[in-house]
Amino acid sequence: MLNTPEGVPPVPGENLSRDEARERAALLSVDGYDVSLDLRSAVGDQAGDGPRTFRSVTTIRFRCNEPGATSFADLIAPSVTAVSLNGRDLDAGAVFDGSRIALEDLAADNELVVDAQCAYSRTGEGMHRFVDPEDGEVYLYTQYEPADSRRVFANFEQPDLKAPFRFEVRAPEGWVVWSNGVGSESDGVWRFAETKPISTYITCVVAGPYHYVTDSYERVFEDGTRLEIPLGALCRKGLAPHFDSDDVFLVTKQGLDFFHDHFDYPYPFGKYDQAFVPEYNLGAMENPGLVTFREEFIFRGKVTRASYEGRANVILHEMAHMWFGDLVTMVWWDDLWLKESFADFMGTFANVGATRFKDAWITFANRRKAWAYRADQLPSTHPITADIRDLQDAKLNFDGITYAKGASVLKQLVAYVGQDAFLEGARRYFKRHAYGNTRLGDLLSVLEETSGRDMGAWARSWLQTAGVNSLTPQVLLSAEGRVDELAVVQEADESHPELRPHRVAVGLYRRTPEGALERYARAEVDVDGPRTVVAELAGAEAPELVLVNDDDLTYCKTRFDAGSLETLKSGLGDLTDPLARALCWSALWNMTRDALLPAREFIDIVLRFAGRESDIGVLQMLHAWAESALVHYVAPEGREQAGALLAEGAERELLAAGPGSEQQLAWARFFARTAESPAGLDLLQGLLDGTATIDGLDVDQELRWAFLQPLTVWGLADEKALAAELARDDTASGKRHQVRCLAARPSEAVKAQAWAQVVESDALSNALAEATISGFNQPSQRNLLEPYAEKYFAVIERVWRDRSIQIAMNTVSGLFPSLQDPRTTLDAADAWLAAHEDAAPALRRLVLEGRDDLARALRGQECDAQAVNHG
């Protein structure tokens, strides 16, 4: 039986509680790791019937400040061959329970050696193994956050037990291996330089016949010292023809210049490799010296500028982590925001300040904050500094609160304390806590030093409370038609009643003689409390539009007075400022989700003005919102007509768009997602087989799959057609597209097979399971999906118990019955929650979130129906 510190009960299975981690950190400190991995088993036939495994031998040198105490090391592995502690062989079968190794009678100085057989992964957790269908080559990479390095080597899996690491890897002949440090190969063994003290979750190994490109970065500092950083970028060989590594290196160098200019702390981890890897669960991961990205950031076909901007933002987000997160790391996952909120803010801050993407704050306002607003209105919302009880809590808190709301709040903090004070605080923070671990108070203390402000009240309002405020203008006009009084009314949801201090800009807009809507007056004001008068705008000419939170200085839901709303309905496209337009679009979408604007009105506004949207990222977001409005918020009796109007509008804008333009490509993709009429589907078929053309539209392979899916959904492309397309595109990407389309066919047998592949079997990799779930859920096939609502609630507890947490999360979230009869599903969700009060909190959270989305959709549908009935 595994012993744990007195008073801290062990958590079940693979979980780890904050209390256990705190007890262990108080007892132990780690001096170093030597990790030896033998990955030659990755290729060739598998030995035996069990999981394919590799040998992992780990030596951990650590100290214990209470000799004679007991503790444990972490390891998730099919088997352990041998364990020794301080030269004493232990009974591996007795001390290893599948996820922990019991350590008893510890000395002051200890050496633990663990020889284990660890399993390759197909879920994107631990050591992921991918076989490329194009050429049969095998590729490996690791992904650990928050706690999956223990699937690859024995360790103390918590962020505050940092240590230096030395990795040694035996690899198949012809392979190259990368890790955090610089490596060299001799006789098939790769040895890597010892790292600086880092946390276990950011160690990394990438191995295989990857395509590798190199470059270098040089910097001479004011004191004359020179810094040279070797740069590398790698991807699968099959993607090499599409790999625009020059642009990756350009953004990388621009980012390194920017952060060196602002952080006054040289990049501390030697080299800087960036690996684009297959079947990746995340966007990217900040492993120092070896950042990993999902390979979808290598574009196989034509994409819009928004895709390049998005990739640049991710590159810079991960680079910011080298300081925020890697150099200085949170003590426990409660303060995850100390790295993720900062990286999310810094990614956009650097994108605007260092790259060609000068409008990245528009994307942030329109896309990232939409993620935050949704998350902050779920029943699972939480303060930015969250209460993370265990690893399952941590896994679910990589969410819109921790990333986008946190970044939004930091953007306001910069306005509050000033950019110079904020950056000087960051510089002191790095120097004071380099290679260490911190909590909220450590950051606040340096910001108080540099700004002279009391950060406690700000932190209590913005970091330690949940929920989003709404700000609405109230305008009183004088008899002369001027502003007599303009006030901002602040409201909060009753479940999270905190009214916060907001620094906002209020903009007044009216039409020019040429018909453009332009700002003619602006005032910044500190909104505090339920009503704040903007004295500076008294006497201004009467506005046609009042925009609260103009310039997007704060985090809030913007509302409109009646006159402003009517102006937007009739003339949103006349707004000349792209950020103001984006903010208005975002506000209208929030109103739609909050059942304050009927969904069909929102769709109508999109159809009338989206064609005039110049910002391609905003346009693509509008497409996603309009599609979501149709699927979830339009009343059922109005869906068919609204869907037809949306498809007709998409086709009209597609044909009107400039030949070869980004807008043409965006409208082509949107048209494919909305097409449902025989004529529309015929056009897609013609574009596929070449019997129809649109001037300037290049139907590349990615666009072919986009056109093929709706044909599959509507029963116009069968399994034979999909096989033929796969033969044309026999790649990993092609396989994912084919699997998605196969599950999208309109057949009871197809749905049953897709369900079984995801729920009853674990044979699919993470990427193919995700593709199957995506194909399974088709809004036009609600009748086929109806039987699966009851089945869902019958299996989710078993799925949560039997699958890895990443696969369980994907399955429970992805298969939630959001397209089935909403009232029946709400009742079923409530019944399940009532009967499973003792279910894993993370599982209950996912069900609660699905239920809340469904309840919100019902409110939206009722709003839409009432508007039509009273119209």
Side-chain angles (χ1 to χ4, degrees):
M1 181 176 179
L2 179 64
N3 293 315
T4 57
E6 185 177 354
V8 181
V11 293
E14 299 172 2
N15 208 349
L16 174 72
S17 75
R18 175 178 53 203
D19 289 341
E20 290 179 299
R22 185 181 294 138
E23 291 273 2
R24 187 163 61 176
L27 185 67
L28 307 181
S29 55
V30 188
D31 295 318
Y33 287 84
D34 288 301
V35 180
S36 177
L37 307 176
D38 189 342
L39 303 179
R40 290 174 294 181
S41 58
V43 300
D45 296 334
Q46 180 176 341
D49 297 329
R52 184 186 288 262
T53 61
F54 58 93
R55 188 182 183 195
S56 169
V57 181
T58 305
T59 301
I60 313 175
R61 298 174 299 281
F62 64 100
R63 284 165 284 140
C64 174
N65 61 27
E66 295 180 16
T70 64
S71 188
F72 61 94
D74 300 296
L75 175 68
I76 298 174
S79 65
V80 171
T81 306
V83 179
S84 71
L85 178 63
N86 299 329
R88 184 176 77 253
D89 291 336
L90 306 181
D91 182 346
V95 299
F96 177 59
D97 68 355
S99 61
R100 295 182 178 186
I101 300 168
L103 305 176
E104 297 182 350
D105 193 23
L106 292 172
D109 294 288
N110 301 274
E111 182 175 273
L112 174 68
V113 181
V114 180
D115 188 343
Q117 289 294 316
C118 294
Y120 294 104
S121 163
R122 296 198 71 213
T123 66
E125 301 154 294
M127 179 70 72
H128 188 80
R129 178 179 180 270
F130 173 77
V131 181
D132 193 331
E134 189 172 359
D135 55 17
E137 295 279 19
V138 175
Y139 294 89
L140 304 178
Y141 65 87
T142 59
Q143 170 56 36
Y144 297 149
E145 192 173 40
D148 284 320
S149 64
R150 56 192 169 144
R151 298 181 186 275
V152 175
F153 60 93
N155 58 55
F156 300 114
E157 186 79 283
Q158 57 191 81
D160 58 342
L161 288 177
K162 285 185 164 183
F165 288 81
R166 286 196 298 254
F167 283 93
E168 175 184 286
V169 180
R170 286 169 173 78
E173 185 178 354
W175 277 26
V176 180
V177 183
W178 294 263
S179 188
N180 304 88
V182 173
S184 61
E185 185 267 342
S186 177
D187 297 326
V189 179
W190 292 80
R191 294 179 176 86
F192 295 90
E194 184 175 72
T195 71
K196 299 288 189 180
I198 58 176
S199 302
T200 54
Y201 75 92
I202 51 176
T203 60
C204 186
V205 171
V206 174
Y210 285 90
H211 170 73
Y212 186 53
V213 187
T214 61
D215 202 334
S216 64
Y217 168 86
E218 292 187 8
R219 171 90 177 195
V220 179
F221 296 98
E222 291 183 357
D223 62 1
T225 60
R226 178 182 297 273
L227 174 68
E228 182 172 351
I229 304 172
L231 305 179
L234 53 150
C235 68
R236 289 185 297 112
K237 290 190 294 185
L239 283 175
H242 309 287
F243 193 19
D244 54 338
S245 57
D246 286 350
D247 192 52
V248 171
F249 286 136
L250 172 64
V251 173
T252 301
K253 293 175 184 179
Q254 291 170 331
L256 288 168
D257 273 339
F258 184 86
F259 290 129
H260 282 130
D261 287 342
H262 289 83
F263 288 169
D264 190 32
Y265 195 108
Y267 171 72
F269 296 111
K271 69 182 181 70
Y272 201 86
D273 285 323
Q274 297 175 96
F276 295 79
V277 297
E279 298 191 322
Y280 203 54
N281 286 322
L282 311 177
M285 185 64 207
E286 67 268 18
N287 316 303
L290 182 54
V291 182
T292 42
F293 298 82
R294 64 187 301 119
E295 68 179 17
E296 285 78 3
F297 285 122
I298 297 174
F299 308 120
R300 299 198 314 151
K302 183 179 179 181
V303 296
T304 68
R305 177 182 172 88
S307 295
Y308 290 101
E309 179 189 320
R311 182 176 69 183
N313 195 282
V314 174
I315 289 172
L316 297 169
H317 174 118
E318 302 310 321
M319 188 179 292
H321 273 311
M322 300 299 123
W323 290 267
F324 283 108
D326 293 359
L327 178 67
V328 184
T329 311
M330 67 275 157
V331 170
W332 178 249
W333 302 101
D334 304 70
D335 283 313
L336 176 62
W337 80 282
L338 280 173
K339 72 184 189 76
E340 294 301 348
S341 298
F342 274 87
D344 217 47
F345 168 77
M346 284 292 173
T348 304
F349 184 54
N351 226 0
V352 171
T355 76
R356 64 189 184 274
F357 302 110
K358 302 303 179 185
D359 292 331
W361 283 122
I362 296 176
T363 305
F364 181 85
N366 194 243
R367 181 179 295 270
R368 298 300 282 181
K369 291 180 86 167
W371 181 28
Y373 294 141
R374 174 187 176 272
D376 215 3
Q377 296 174 87
L378 290 169
S380 57
T381 188
H382 55 85
I384 294 172
T385 54
D387 180 23
I388 304 298
R389 296 159 296 186
D390 56 31
L391 290 176
Q392 290 193 1
D393 278 358
K395 187 73 172 177
L396 267 67
N397 265 46
F398 290 82
D399 59 11
I401 304 296
T402 302
Y403 283 73
K405 181 181 180 179
S408 303
V409 168
L410 288 176
K411 189 170 186 278
Q412 170 150 312
L413 175 63
V414 173
Y416 177 62
V417 303
Q419 181 172 306
D420 291 343
F422 175 79
L423 290 171
E424 177 58 27
R427 291 188 279 267
R428 295 187 189 184
Y429 179 72
F430 301 143
K431 291 171 183 175
R432 195 168 297 173
H433 302 288
Y435 305 110
N437 297 85
T438 57
R439 296 182 175 89
L440 168 64
D442 298 308
L443 178 68
L444 296 183
S445 66
V446 296
L447 290 174
E448 286 182 345
E449 291 173 16
T450 58
S451 70
R453 290 180 178 266
D454 176 11
M455 299 302 301
W458 177 86
R460 284 190 294 274
S461 290
W462 283 105
L463 301 180
Q464 296 169 340
T465 60
V468 56
N469 302 135
S470 61
L471 301 181
T472 307
Q474 283 185 346
V475 185
L476 298 176
L477 298 179
S478 67
E480 293 76 28
R482 291 185 172 271
V483 174
D484 191 41
E485 181 183 85
L486 194 155
V488 177
V489 175
Q490 178 177 192
E491 296 174 289
D493 188 85
E494 60 182 19
S495 61
H496 299 286
E498 177 84 10
L499 296 181
R500 300 179 178 86
H502 297 265
R503 180 71 177 175
V504 301
V506 179
L508 304 185
Y509 291 75
R510 66 184 179 193
R511 293 186 185 277
T512 66
E514 294 76 25
L517 265 176
E518 294 187 352
R519 187 170 70 192
Y520 65 95
R522 176 186 183 275
E524 285 194 22
V525 63
D526 290 315
V527 171
D528 198 359
R531 191 173 188 272
T532 302
V533 174
V534 188
E536 189 176 332
L537 294 177
E541 293 188 24
E544 294 180 60
L545 168 67
V546 179
L547 181 55
V548 175
N549 198 29
D550 206 354
D551 298 323
D552 197 37
L553 299 184
T554 193
Y555 171 80
C556 70
K557 289 193 294 187
T558 299
R559 303 300 197 205
F560 301 106
D561 64 288
S564 296
L565 184 57
E566 289 305 311
T567 296
L568 292 174
K569 289 179 179 179
S570 62
L572 191 155
D574 298 329
L575 270 169
T576 56
D577 182 76
L579 178 56
R581 274 199 319 274
L583 293 170
C584 289
W585 280 121
S586 175
L588 292 175
W589 175 239
N590 277 321
M591 292 176 65
T592 305
R593 293 188 72 250
D594 290 345
L596 298 175
L597 180 69
R600 275 175 277 187
E601 282 196 37
F602 178 78
I603 289 173
D604 180 63
I605 297 169
V606 170
L607 288 174
R608 283 190 287 132
F609 300 120
R612 296 168 59 182
E613 180 53 59
S614 60
D615 188 288
I616 193 65
V618 172
L619 176 61
Q620 289 174 286
M621 201 73 223
L622 291 176
H623 290 162
W625 287 343
E627 191 175 5
S628 182
L630 174 65
V631 171
H632 298 295
Y633 300 112
V634 170
E637 61 271 19
R639 279 192 199 121
E640 184 176 352
Q641 181 185 23
L645 290 173
L646 201 56
E648 289 169 9
E651 182 176 359
R652 181 172 61 251
E653 295 294 346
L654 166 61
L655 297 176
S661 66
E662 293 183 308
Q663 280 74 14
Q664 182 187 59
L665 178 61
W667 283 107
R669 289 187 170 278
F670 185 52
F671 173 60
R673 300 202 304 272
T674 57
E676 55 184 32
S677 69
L681 295 169
D682 282 347
L683 175 57
L684 291 178
Q685 184 63 65
L687 291 169
L688 270 177
D689 60 28
T691 59
T693 58
I694 296 175
D695 186 25
L697 184 66
D698 177 20
V699 184
D700 58 32
Q701 186 58 61
E702 286 295 297
L703 204 53
R704 286 185 63 84
W705 283 113
F707 290 170
L708 190 57
Q709 179 160 325
L711 297 175
T712 306
V713 167
W714 292 99
L716 300 177
D718 58 14
E719 188 173 359
K720 182 179 178 181
L722 297 176
E725 196 64 31
L726 181 63
R728 177 189 181 106
D729 182 27
D730 191 11
T731 64
S733 299
K735 183 62 178 176
R736 288 194 296 273
H737 287 306
Q738 185 222 19
V739 166
R740 184 179 300 110
C741 288
L742 284 171
R745 291 171 294 163
S747 156
E748 290 182 3
V750 164
K751 299 304 175 188
Q753 181 184 35
W755 178 270
Q757 287 174 331
V758 173
V759 173
E760 305 300 337
S761 169
D762 62 358
L764 292 178
S765 69
N766 56 327
L768 296 185
E770 182 182 345
T772 302
I773 291 171
S774 175
F776 178 85
N777 288 313
Q778 296 301 322
S780 63
Q781 298 169 357
R782 294 172 192 261
N783 60 319
L784 292 174
L785 300 177
E786 201 61 48
Y788 293 95
E790 183 178 352
K791 294 180 180 180
Y792 171 88
F793 291 106
V795 302
I796 54 174
E797 200 165 25
R798 171 169 57 85
V799 167
W800 194 263
R801 181 187 67 237
D802 294 346
R803 303 297 179 84
S804 70
I805 188 169
Q806 183 67 54
I807 295 298
M809 286 169 53
N810 294 349
T811 304
V812 172
S813 297
L815 291 178
F816 186 90
S818 60
L819 298 174
Q820 289 85 327
D821 178 76
R823 298 192 187 280
T824 302
T825 302
L826 277 179
D827 290 343
D830 288 339
W832 186 92
L833 289 165
H836 295 81
E837 293 184 359
D838 59 345
L843 172 58
R844 285 181 56 85
R845 170 177 169 168
L846 292 175
V847 175
L848 279 165
E849 290 178 351
R851 186 215 179 277
D852 190 74
D853 281 340
L854 200 56
R856 179 179 290 273
L858 263 178
R859 293 193 296 272
Q861 291 170 23
E862 290 166 359
C863 169
D864 188 63
Q866 289 171 5
V868 172
N869 292 336
H870 294 129

